[in-house]
Amino acid sequence: MAMMTSIESTTTPPGSAPSVGREHAIDALRGFALLGILMVNAGSFASTYFGVGVSDPAFSRPVDHAVRWLVSFLFETKFYLLFSLLFGYSFALQMDAAQRAGSAFVPRFLRRLLGLLLLGLGHAWLLFAGDILVTYALLGLLLLAWRGVRPAMAVVLALALLGATAGGWGLLAWLVAQVPPMDLPLAELHAKAQQAAQAYRASALEAIAQRGRDMAEGVWFVLVFVQGPCALAMFLLGLAAHRTGYLATVARQPARLRRWMACCLPVGVAGALFYASVQSGASGAQQPEQVGLAALAVDLATAPLLTFGYVALLLWLLQRGPAGQRLGAALEPAGRMALSNYLLQSLVGALVFTAYGLALVGQVSPGWVVLGVLVLYATQLAWSRRWMAMHAYGPVEWLLRAFTLWQWPVWRRGAR
């Protein structure tokens, strides 16, 4: 449910094409994150049971539960954190670039946030209720207000946000455990999911109305009490990572990357295993409410570590000789036009699963959804490489940059 604007060279003049001084590893990380975002969002497009708390009875075979478990284990709650980290990193980079160029950063960044907000509102209503662009635009105002924070204080604030969010859900789990258990209203949950599926299949207008109901009935709650504070925490960590030069330094040191993997991956994997086993275990059995809340709390506490482990692993792989170079070459173009790719993913999802096109919501098994995700992602990698070979920016990035600068950027690569 997330995106990132392109990181540009600090010497790129307004309106011109980005120079060769880009941070290619950051672009590759963003391109990698697109896979995780697509994998999670596709599940939401494919089934109105996603996030409801009960399994879809139409796909209750062991293989269906196993696929959902795997997606939950590897992807859920990890990749929007990566995009958020890179958003904070890009923010600091753009601020430094504006200072070097002697241009006013605040008005320019405010226009960028307004552009993101407008894109996000359209995206949420027309394509995907789980949009995170609006959240990024609003949280970006806080990041702008805190732009002068010292790196050490940024890290402290980030850890406090992550700890308070995980601790709050852990406290809620404990409180729920103190009262007599209540049966979930299974019939009501099934009826709600089936009514939503019917609305998404009925017509384009009904699909838009259902997105509005989804946002009003639950999406906002997740954004405010889960994704919002965690995304802001990662913004701050990304800001600190650039200000200290730590990420750029570690990215060139394989030994330190291996230490990060050794420290972060075991704890992150353990938390993800617990979360996935509770949320979508292979048995599909319904867990008590307090267990589900505890699993969420554990996941919120450990998901950032798994995200850092993923970052270290990819940066390490990028240094593995010719194979690493090929991997970077495949991922970087997609990362440079991540906003276009993010919106394209939602457009394809809406065309496949709602009344905009095939209206297949609730009719495709989790295994086929995952296969479709891999095909779409591979297609995006190929398309991005071809597009970026000829253009200075992705199509939506070009529009956002034009709105931000209030002038037309170059369109073709090599133009002036």
Side-chain angles (χ1 to χ4, degrees), residues 372-415:
V373 163
L374 297 176
V375 171
L376 176 56
Y377 181 66
T379 302
Q380 287 190 298
L381 292 183
W383 173 63
S384 298
R385 186 165 188 171
R386 184 177 181 85
W387 180 277
M388 294 309 301
M390 297 183 293
H391 298 84
Y393 305 97
V396 183
E397 284 80 3
W398 185 86
L399 287 173
L400 180 60
R401 186 170 178 82
F403 186 83
T404 299
L405 300 177
W406 215 241
Q407 67 183 55
W408 297 118
V410 296
W411 176 248
R412 287 283 181 177
R413 176 168 290 281

Side-chain angles (χ1 to χ4, degrees), residues 7 22-32 331-332 335-336:
I7 290 182
R22 298 180 61 90
E23 299 197 24
H24 299 290
I26 301 300
D27 289 329
L29 283 169
R30 194 180 298 111
F32 169 62
L331 295 175
E332 287 169 30
R336 291 177 61 187

Side-chain angles (χ1 to χ4, degrees), residues 63-337:
V63 65
D64 298 322
H65 292 303
V67 171
R68 283 192 289 261
W69 179 91
L70 188 64
V71 171
S72 180
F73 168 53
L74 291 176
F75 299 101
E76 282 185 20
T77 74
K78 287 82 177 176
F79 283 84
Y80 84 92
L81 295 177
L82 175 53
F83 268 135
S84 302
L85 178 76
L86 298 175
F87 187 95
Y89 191 95
S90 177
F91 170 85
L93 194 64
Q94 293 172 41
M95 187 162 56
D96 288 351
Q99 184 177 11
R100 287 191 175 92
S103 58
F105 173 72
V106 173
R108 175 174 169 174
F109 192 72
L110 285 173
R111 287 195 299 271
R112 179 180 290 271
L113 293 180
L114 178 59
L116 282 180
L117 178 64
L118 295 174
L119 285 170
L121 289 172
H123 179 235
W125 281 102
L126 298 177
L127 297 177
F128 182 50
D131 166 81
I132 204 172
L133 299 183
V134 171
T135 303
Y136 272 25
L138 297 177
L139 292 179
L141 293 174
L142 286 176
L143 188 62
L144 186 63
W146 293 347
R147 63 188 182 278
V149 67
R150 297 191 307 274
M153 181 54 66
V155 172
V156 170
L157 289 172
L159 294 178
L161 281 168
L162 293 171
T165 305
W169 285 99
L171 177 61
L172 181 59
W174 180 82
L175 292 174
V176 169
Q178 306 310 305
V179 301
M182 297 176 60
D183 293 333
L184 283 175
L186 295 179
E188 180 181 341
L189 292 174
H190 283 293
K192 180 181 176 181
Q194 290 164 7
Q195 289 168 4
Q198 290 171 2
Y200 277 121
R201 295 190 201 112
S203 69
L205 289 179
E206 278 295 316
I208 292 172
Q210 183 59 44
R211 287 188 196 94
R213 290 190 288 270
D214 287 344
M215 287 185 282
E217 294 174 2
V219 170
W220 72 268
F221 184 86
V222 174
L223 291 175
V224 171
F225 293 102
V226 179
Q227 289 189 338
C230 293
L232 181 57
M234 299 303 281
F235 284 5
L236 291 168
L237 291 176
L239 176 67
H242 174 73
R243 287 268 174 84
T244 61
Y246 186 80
L247 182 58
T249 300
V250 171
R252 299 188 296 268
Q253 300 178 358
R256 295 180 73 180
L257 291 173
R258 288 193 294 268
R259 287 197 292 272
W260 269 99
M261 286 188 278
C263 292
C264 295
L265 288 177
V267 179
V269 165
L273 281 171
F274 178 52
Y275 172 77
S277 298
V278 170
Q279 295 295 326
S280 53
S283 66
Q286 182 64 46
Q287 298 287 348
E289 185 178 7
Q290 64 269 25
V291 176
L293 292 171
L296 177 59
V298 169
D299 183 66
L300 290 173
T302 59
L305 293 174
L306 188 51
T307 299
F308 296 145
Y310 283 164
V311 169
L313 177 59
L314 182 60
L315 292 176
W316 181 76
L317 289 174
L318 291 175
Q319 300 183 47
R320 308 307 294 171
Q325 293 175 4
R326 289 193 295 270
L327 177 62
L331 295 175
E332 287 169 30
R336 291 177 61 187
M337 50 187 292

